[in-house]
Amino acid sequence: MDAMEATPAHSFSSHMVFRLTGVFILAAMLLAPIWMVSFPPLLDYPNHLARAFVLAHLNDSHFSFQQFYRADWGAYPYLGMDASLAVLGRLFPIATAGSVYLSLCILALPAAAWFFLRQAQPDAEATSLWSMLIAYNVFFLEGFLNFDLSIAVGLLALGLWLRWLARPGTGRWMATLIAFTALYFTHLLGFAIAGLLVVVYLGLSRRPIRDWLWSGLLALPGVAFYLHSSRVGLSANKIIFHGWGDKLDSLGMILHGYWPWLDWISLAALAAWFLAAWWRNPEFRWDRKWAGIAVFFFALFWVIPWMWGQEASDLDIRVLPFLFVAILTTARVGRRAKTLAVIPIFLFAARTVSVTRHFKETQPALAVLARSFETVPRGGGL
């Protein structure tokens, strides 16, 4: 009897060790490009760090920032990075704090996608490996880090919402409310896209009025904060739509990296993965509800303008990460997904090599730019 009881415990322990080792290796691969270089080559990233540094040293007598700037904290969206760096900046030098924040963004998106997919399709754990391919997405690489973080926070909020729908309870609803409110403070568009998914899901699944009312209340704090403090985009004096050719080019950004041929191979491999998952697999089931949501986001991409107002641009491609994750929810694959996991893992390894190589190649030029600031006397200007 003792031997029979020990065998399952030993198997469970070995299984957990194997899983945790795999998670650790994948996390290390995700973080490697960031920590292997001194200057992450992300477009808007230096501006974000500079703003965080000014906020942290606004009243520092060694600088003259107070003569030109003031802090204006309020119930605004887009505070995710500023608030995070305000905390991290007290613990680390600003460059290290920035790398820690980048690490948070990189790890949060696949983790949130895994959690969301577990709620949408309970057996989608192996399928969630595909989300690692969008960790270094176009928004991260361009330094749009508030929106990049909002993808992860949005998927977390949606996952918590699906969990509450499955088993309603006060604690689960409150956790979902906190997540959706945090999403508003991370990015307004992430908040809006997540709200659209909630509406479409409720409509396609024909949920009762009670679910509509309680789900609507989740958006109440964010909407109230927006109307009180922000109102961004209410008056648009400039709206630009891209043509069909530009839209088609932008659609390729759903998997955007430094090797375009790898992006197209990855998209083709995703299609091949679905084909292999479906072929003579008795466990395979299409999920019409999630397929409808994926179709909705695909259609939404084509009708959204590229620019709304003077500064809100790249609006149409903001739905692409959510579309990519929605595609992963469209089918239940069953046990075959574990066998097919080698495909996204191999592609992820190739993309990691691509990102790391590009990051390293840019270091000499960025080091020259960094040394140019040494000619400015400390405290001698902005």
Side-chain angles (χ1 to χ4, degrees), residues 40-310:
L42 311 177
L43 186 61
D44 279 2
Y45 178 61
N47 295 333
H48 289 304
L49 280 190
R51 184 174 66 249
F53 184 84
V54 170
L55 286 171
H57 296 84
L58 195 59
N59 299 315
D60 193 331
S61 60
H62 293 89
F63 300 95
S64 55
F65 296 143
Q66 198 173 29
Q67 300 178 28
F68 305 96
Y69 305 106
R70 66 181 177 88
D72 185 19
W73 298 98
Y76 311 122
Y78 321 119
L79 293 180
M81 187 170 187
D82 290 334
S84 298
L85 289 178
V87 176
L88 293 172
R90 296 179 179 273
L91 304 174
F92 308 102
I94 189 61
T96 304
S99 295
V100 172
Y101 179 81
L102 295 180
S103 301
L104 171 64
C105 291
I106 287 298
L107 294 177
L109 200 158
W114 168 82
F115 176 75
F116 168 76
L117 287 166
R118 283 288 298 268
Q119 315 310 313
Q121 300 289 2
D123 61 348
E125 186 171 58
T127 306
S128 67
L129 290 170
W130 281 99
S131 65
M132 295 189 301
L133 273 66
I134 60 171
Y136 285 86
N137 57 70
V138 61
F139 305 105
F140 183 87
L141 297 179
E142 291 187 357
F144 299 168
L145 298 173
N146 278 315
F147 183 77
D148 181 74
L149 184 61
S150 79
I151 302 171
V153 178
L155 291 174
L156 172 64
L158 290 167
L160 290 170
W161 175 70
L162 289 173
R163 193 174 67 159
W164 167 76
L165 278 183
R167 292 183 58 188
T170 303
R172 293 188 173 195
W173 188 87
M174 290 299 298
T176 308
L177 176 67
I178 293 171
F180 270 97
T181 305
L183 178 58
Y184 163 80
F185 285 110
T186 307
H187 202 282
L188 187 61
L189 283 176
F191 180 74
I193 294 172
L196 283 175
L197 191 148
V198 168
V199 171
V200 177
Y201 183 95
L202 290 172
L204 292 178
S205 56
R206 299 180 181 180
R207 305 291 297 196
I209 295 297
R210 180 194 63 185
D211 290 346
W212 283 85
L213 292 175
W214 282 106
S215 298
L217 288 175
L218 295 171
L220 188 59
V223 172
F225 289 140
Y226 170 76
L227 294 176
H228 178 268
S229 303
S230 181
R231 303 195 178 190
V232 174
L234 287 182
S235 58
N237 53 8
K238 187 177 184 181
I239 302 175
I240 299 177
F241 284 88
H242 271 166
W244 295 109
D246 291 330
K247 283 282 189 179
L248 191 59
D249 289 340
S250 297
L251 187 60
M253 293 184 181
I254 195 170
L255 280 179
H256 175 75
Y258 294 120
W259 293 348
W261 60 268
L262 181 58
D263 300 340
W264 291 111
I265 288 176
S266 300
L267 287 173
L270 179 60
W273 182 89
F274 270 101
L275 179 61
W278 164 78
W279 181 256
R280 295 183 177 179
N281 181 6
E283 295 180 322
F284 187 93
R285 296 288 186 276
W286 289 108
D287 190 316
R288 294 183 179 180
K289 177 173 67 273
W290 284 107
I293 291 172
V295 170
F296 170 80
F297 276 113
F298 181 74
L300 190 64
F301 163 78
W302 292 97
V303 301
I304 289 180
W306 173 74
M307 174 179 282
W308 182 283
Q310 290 296 118

